[in-house]
Amino acid sequence: MNHAVSKRYKRTTTYLIGFLVLAVFTTLAPFVYIAMSSFKTQISLLMGDVAFTPTLMNYDEVLFDRTSDYLQNFTNSVVVTSISTSLVVVIAFFAGYSLFRMRWPTYVVNIFLIWSMAFNLIPSVTLASAWYDLARSVGLNNDYIALILAHTTLHLPMALWLLASFFREIPRELEDAAYVDGASFVTLVRRVVTPLMMPGLMATGILIFVFSWNEFPVALALTNNDTGTVPVAIAKYAQEEEIKYTQMAAASVLSAVPALLVLLFGQRFIVRGLTAGAVK
């Protein structure tokens, strides 16, 4: 009997390991292909050469060619993503505090969260033209401010939903004790609530940063050559008469670096944040 159970356990373990290996390969294979393509020439890529001599020509063209706006677009992405992510986290934090700590009726909280979820389900491309008309009507077309406000609006519902579970896990008794000790609202938020919410805030900020960094339809509608972001810059290599696959691959690899660094830096916060409250 023990031998049969041990054999079944080994077989299950083997299947699980094989499944994990397949999942990792499926996930990494496209990125590995793009990374390899970025070191090929256009002819070598189109001919499907497996063995090739690596070249940095594509990276040189993307970064230093006089006709390339990639570095400017990269800087634009850093500015827009950083500011919009900061705004989203701060607004979602105080909105969540209001919903779960102020004396709102339960139905108001539920309706607000359902409305936020419904808005989050709307594809961003359907809102791009409306935001473009609104930005143009107030003189903010092709401006950083319009894109920052659009990204803030687009990602705020998701941040609110992510932070909602963390507010539910903070015991009210801690806040009541702080008030009894004479703490003001500012002191309470700064010294009690924020430290307890830090894993959730970090996890939310990292995820919103990645989503904002990769957002394309709204950025395409609200920007031009001077204010475009990284996804818009990558799309420029798909021209009407020619698609520069290798330059597009090089630009894609470069664009993935900031998001990967942020994820590597904050992975422990993401794990702690997304699993908070799962185990009492």
Side-chain angles (χ1 to χ4, degrees), residues 11-276:
R11 184 185 307 165
T12 303
T13 303
T14 302
Y15 288 153
L16 288 175
I17 293 175
F19 175 77
L20 291 175
V21 171
L22 179 62
V24 171
F25 175 79
T26 304
T27 303
L28 294 180
F31 183 78
V32 172
Y33 176 79
I34 293 174
M36 292 178 61
S37 299
S38 68
F39 293 101
K40 292 183 178 181
T41 63
Q42 187 87 337
I43 295 176
S44 177
L45 177 65
L46 295 177
M47 292 182 63
D49 293 341
V50 177
F52 62 95
T53 302
T55 177
L56 295 175
M57 177 181 62
N58 301 311
Y59 290 94
D60 182 72
E61 181 173 341
V62 168
L63 294 174
F64 306 115
D65 190 89
R66 288 183 296 177
T67 61
S68 175
D69 298 320
Y70 186 83
L71 287 178
Q72 177 63 44
N73 297 142
F74 191 94
T75 304
N76 296 341
S77 277
V78 172
V79 172
V80 170
T81 301
S82 300
I83 297 177
S84 64
T85 300
S86 301
L87 289 174
V88 166
V89 172
V90 171
I91 295 173
F93 174 80
F94 286 104
Y97 187 89
S98 173
L99 286 175
F100 297 102
R101 287 299 183 266
M102 304 302 178
R103 299 187 181 276
W104 292 102
T106 303
Y107 73 89
V108 173
V109 176
N110 292 334
I111 290 175
F112 191 84
L113 290 177
I114 291 173
W115 173 83
S116 299
M117 180 178 65
F119 181 83
N120 196 49
L121 295 176
I122 300 175
S124 59
V125 67
T126 62
L127 302 172
S129 60
W131 278 333
Y132 172 77
D133 291 336
L134 180 62
R136 186 176 59 178
S137 65
V138 297
L140 292 177
N141 55 312
N142 300 324
D143 192 280
Y144 292 118
I145 298 177
L147 187 56
I148 290 171
L149 293 177
H151 277 200
T152 302
T153 305
L154 188 63
H155 299 124
L156 185 57
M158 181 189 303
L160 183 60
W161 267 89
L162 289 172
L163 291 180
S165 60
F166 299 102
F167 277 109
R168 293 191 181 100
E169 296 299 325
I170 298 178
R172 288 179 178 268
E173 292 76 11
L174 293 177
E175 299 175 44
D176 294 338
Y179 278 127
V180 169
D181 291 339
S184 64
F185 175 76
V186 175
T187 302
L188 174 69
V189 171
R190 184 165 60 91
R191 296 190 176 182
V192 178
V193 180
T194 301
L196 293 173
M197 288 286 295
M198 189 54 65
L201 292 173
M202 292 296 296
T204 301
I206 291 168
L207 292 177
I208 296 303
F209 180 94
V210 173
F211 285 126
S212 180
W213 182 270
N214 293 323
E215 195 282 322
F216 174 69
V218 176
L220 181 65
L222 298 181
T223 61
N224 57 16
N225 289 335
D226 294 330
T227 57
T229 56
V230 165
V232 177
I234 295 174
K236 292 178 184 178
Y237 292 102
Q239 301 172 358
E240 184 176 353
E241 298 180 356
E242 179 187 13
I243 300 178
K244 298 182 178 181
Y245 294 104
T246 53
Q247 290 88 344
M248 185 182 292
S252 300
V253 172
L254 291 172
S255 70
V257 172
L260 288 176
L261 291 177
V262 169
L263 287 174
L264 290 174
F265 168 76
Q267 61 179 340
R268 63 189 181 95
F269 293 104
I270 295 178
V271 174
R272 288 174 55 194
L274 297 182
T275 59

